[in-house]
Amino acid sequence: MPKNKKPAGGRPAKNFEPRYGAKKTGGPSAGSRSPGHRGYRAEPAEAPRKDRWNSEDRDARRGAPAGERPSYNRGERSERPAYGDRNERPAYNRAERSERPAYGDRAPRGDRPSYGDRGPRADRPSYGDRTERPAFNRGDRNDRPAYNRGERSERPAYGGRNERPRFDRDAPRGERPSYGDRAPRGDRPSYGDRNERPAYNRGERSERPSYGDRNDRPAYNRGERSERPSYGDRAPRGDRPSYGDRNDRPARNFGGDRPRYNKDEAPRRSASDFYPAKDEKARFTPEEDVVLERLEAQATTAADVDGVSFGDLGLGDNICRQLASMGAAAPFAIQAATIPDVLAGKDVLGRGKTGSGKTIAFGSPVVERLMENNGGKDRKQGRAPRALIMAPTRELAMQIDRTVQPIARSVGLFTTTIFGGVPQHKQVMSLRRGVDIIIATPGRLEDLVEQGHIDLSNITITVLDEADHMCDLGFLEPVQRILRATKADGQRLLFSATLDKGVAAIVKEFLKDPAVHEVAGEDQASSTIDHRVLVVEHRDKPMVIEQLASREGKTLIFARTRAYAEQLADQLEDAGIPATSLHGDLNQSRRTRNLQLLTSGRVNVLVATDVAARGIHVDDIDLVIQADAPDEYKTYMHRSGRTGRAGKQGTVVTIIPRTRQRRMNELLGRAEISADMVPAQPGDELLDQLATATV
DNA sequence: CAATTTT
């Protein structure tokens, strides 16, 4: 399918333009779409502004800061074939879902308030329709008179509506969940700018569960949690349909080929050396064994840290107090090792075991440094961010924010998350209000930079979490471009549990004489994880997985592909094991919700791709099943690091075919893991033993 | 193969 074909007759173009046109000349357009949202206005204040944009004033606006220009009307955009191919992607068996009563016997769906009046799942058009629906084929949208129903013009006009298909649009209205039943928008924490709303935080923050605690790093906050009111009486997050639901399928195919920086529009802000064209030759030269080979890592042991406090490391009182309130009373080894160097302004490479507290290791000193630099006083609107933390997945970005944000707020600094899969508007608004620390995934960050909404030129500290992964193919180049846009002499921090020479390209170009830290005695031998490898006949695999997964505790299953993850989740549900999935074929809302299903314990089995392999923390996962063996030893280490956190016991079971034994042994060797490798088939008692080992 | 953008 011609991915880039320009449809005859320029239909998509036609469909794009009227959309924008209609927005401007047509009815009013509200930025917020539901009553209760903090920005909601019955008489949209934004409407007049749009008119102005549309008028001849445009010339007058020429000189306006980039962030305020309606820069979205770029020509070539509308000519692009839009999202056509999305619909052509395989459905991954979603359709079958609707045929099964599965969700009916699943956890107490019916108990949940907001969905109470919805029909049973099977009656609804179901997500299965999605792929058949021209979801993103905006083309049809404007042609459908249905959406111009009378009340439309009275409504706030849903400016962005066309752009965000909601589920079940095609269904008769009566059958769709009425949006009025939803929790008011304002009650739902929004991804991007949570911290921007003073109402939500401030002093109480530390006493509250602070969104972060939900599935954050282990040690912090555990005990207090149960004592606190917690958001228990709120509708569980996962139940509140949210932004992402509108795109049923996230965009993919991120046009790696798409030329960045629309040629006809020079970057306006930081015009100078922004993203120097492509690469002055590939920087990655494998034979340069820099980093950990040449630079001796300074090992810190837990004993070295004994009796040391965060204050001793150089953090200020507010931050120390905040850390204590988050459950981090005293620094972990990796934190004690790196914090002083970070505070000293050095570039740092930090390697600490999965779940060893890396987020605080970089988060708290970054906050401290920013505070030092401006005396905590510079809060002018729209100030440019000064620190940037990048992560490979959205979930991880959110999780980092949950840890860093309270620390930042404790000294009056603001953070915001920037990632894709959700409407950008809120993110842009927070940026305009001014933030100090951006926590981002590379794609959306670059997008907003290109749009002129983000100025990276004042970024003095950049952190790469999961740094080795950020240097993998597909991430490396965007990361390089972003780093080049930050202050040239800025401080850079690279953290990962598997930090290796793969980061050489970044280190060489961007770090100066970095301090390298690792924590001694944190090898797999000292780990609390029991590693097993099961050699299983291909035909037995489904049943073996079922047997392993039908258990009490939380189980995380890794699959290599999204399709298989989805299929496995379906299979388990069919078998009566409540399970959900997490992978890139889900929209962000469902990703967030499904992960929340596991953290909340509503579902005990999550089947995920490697999107969940790194960084994300869920309490008490005691069994990790690798339905497909990983290709890389590092992947093995990260996946297995989802269990056995905070010193708890965990089991990792890897299922392989006979033909993979040798490769598996090599991989385990590289990971320095010793694991029993035994044949297994359904019904084996061993499987039950493994399933119940930790429950 | 997965992950990473679409206002």
Side-chain angles (χ1 to χ4, degrees), chain A residues 36-215:
Chain A
H37 188 284
R38 91 182 186 289
Y40 174 77
R41 279 188 192 86
E43 291 300 318
E46 211 170 285
R49 225 163 23 118
K50 299 246 161 169
D51 282 339
R52 209 179 43 175
W53 287 1
N54 194 31
S55 72
E56 62 297 324
D57 290 17
R58 192 166 274 155
D59 283 338
R61 305 178 59 79
R62 276 280 138 76
E68 288 169 33
R69 278 177 291 106
S71 55
Y72 301 144
N73 262 337
R74 286 174 285 180
E76 72 275 61
R77 281 246 148 129
S78 43
E79 279 152 26
R80 276 187 284 126
Y83 306 87
D85 20 4
R86 223 174 271 185
N87 298 320
E88 292 156 31
R89 275 187 287 121
Y92 293 125
N93 294 332
R94 284 267 186 55
E96 282 157 54
R97 273 218 144 125
S98 60
E99 291 157 29
R100 289 182 290 112
Y103 285 89
D105 15 9
R106 229 180 152 202
R109 232 199 161 103
D111 293 340
R112 288 178 269 156
S114 44
Y115 281 62
D117 46 349
R118 267 177 157 196
R121 220 191 166 95
D123 294 342
R124 286 181 289 124
S126 99
Y127 296 113
D129 297 354
R130 276 184 224 163
T131 39
E132 281 108 59
R133 232 173 356 117
F136 281 83
N137 188 354
R138 276 101 187 245
D140 297 325
R141 219 133 250 190
N142 291 326
D143 299 332
R144 281 185 272 156
Y147 296 125
N148 281 327
R149 279 171 260 153
E151 73 273 32
R152 223 231 145 102
S153 48
E154 280 127 56
R155 279 184 285 133
Y158 291 96
R161 230 209 187 176
N162 287 335
E163 296 142 39
R164 312 154 174 193
R166 307 187 178 200
F167 32 60
D168 302 340
R169 271 248 179 143
D170 294 320
R173 265 217 178 259
E175 285 174 39
R176 281 185 278 143
S178 98
Y179 288 94
D181 298 327
R182 286 164 85 172
R185 219 160 231 259
D187 295 339
R188 286 174 280 148
S190 66
Y191 299 120
D193 55 354
R194 259 181 246 149
N195 55 323
E196 299 300 330
R197 291 180 263 162
Y200 281 4
N201 27 35
R202 289 314 124 72
E204 336 68 287
R205 186 106 229 185
S206 45
E207 285 115 63
R208 284 188 301 129
S210 104
Y211 302 134
D213 306 334
R214 279 185 200 171
N215 57 359

Side-chain angles (χ1 to χ4, degrees), chain A residues 452-574:
Chain A
H453 292 303
I454 297 179
D455 173 10
L456 295 177
S457 64
N458 279 319
I459 296 285
T460 55
I461 310 178
T462 312
V463 182
L464 298 188
D465 197 9
E466 305 298 345
D468 57 320
H469 194 215
M470 300 297 274
C471 292
D472 283 347
L473 214 61
F475 275 128
L476 178 61
E477 292 204 0
V479 167
Q480 284 175 325
R481 285 194 297 265
I482 290 163
L483 282 170
R484 283 174 198 142
T486 64
K487 247 193 176 44
D489 57 350
Q491 182 179 9
R492 272 91 190 210
L493 315 175
L494 272 51
F495 279 80
S496 178
T498 53
L499 201 62
D500 64 7
K501 68 181 178 184
V503 299
I506 293 290
V507 170
K508 191 179 177 219
E509 180 177 355
F510 299 103
L511 279 74
K512 205 163 37 165
D513 190 21
V516 187
H517 290 283
E518 67 182 357
V519 175
E522 279 194 345
D523 54 2
Q524 296 297 332
S526 68
S527 143
T528 52
I529 302 175
D530 180 19
H531 296 271
R532 306 294 185 108
V533 178
L534 302 181
V535 182
V536 172
E537 287 293 331
H538 183 69
R539 65 168 183 279
D540 289 340
K541 192 160 140 181
M543 291 311 295
V544 168
I545 292 171
E546 256 178 48
Q547 196 178 343
L548 285 168
S550 57
R551 59 192 296 278
E552 294 288 319
K554 284 182 186 172
T555 306
L556 178 56
I557 305 180
F558 283 104
R560 196 177 65 93
T561 66
R562 304 167 181 142
Y564 187 41
E566 194 63 24
Q567 185 204 312
L568 258 181
D570 283 356
Q571 179 207 321
L572 292 171
E573 291 223 314
D574 284 344

Side-chain angles (χ1 to χ4, degrees), chain A residues 319 343 363-378 384-388 408 411 413-415 435-438 458-461 491:
Chain A
I319 293 177
L343 290 177
S364 55
V366 162
V367 171
E368 176 74 32
R369 291 217 77 209
L370 293 192
M371 203 184 51
E372 290 167 358
N373 291 344
N374 77 343
K377 271 286 109 195
D378 178 17
R386 290 171 295 146
L388 168 65
V411 297
L413 300 181
F414 290 86
T415 70
V435 298
D436 304 284
I437 303 173
I438 288 180
N458 279 319
I459 296 285
T460 55
I461 310 178
Q491 182 179 9

Side-chain angles (χ1 to χ4, degrees), chain A residues 400-423:
Chain A
I400 292 168
D401 187 51
R402 287 194 290 264
T403 296
V404 173
Q405 183 193 122
I407 302 173
R409 294 297 307 123
S410 74
V411 297
L413 300 181
F414 290 86
T415 70
T416 199
T417 50
I418 301 293
F419 53 74
V422 295

Side-chain angles (χ1 to χ4, degrees), chain A residues 217-218 354-356 399 528 615-618 641-648:
Chain A
R217 309 276 194 197
T354 51
S356 64
Q399 181 182 292
T528 52
I616 64 153
H617 174 84
V618 175
R642 298 316 99 204
T643 185
R645 293 174 82 85
K648 290 190 181 151

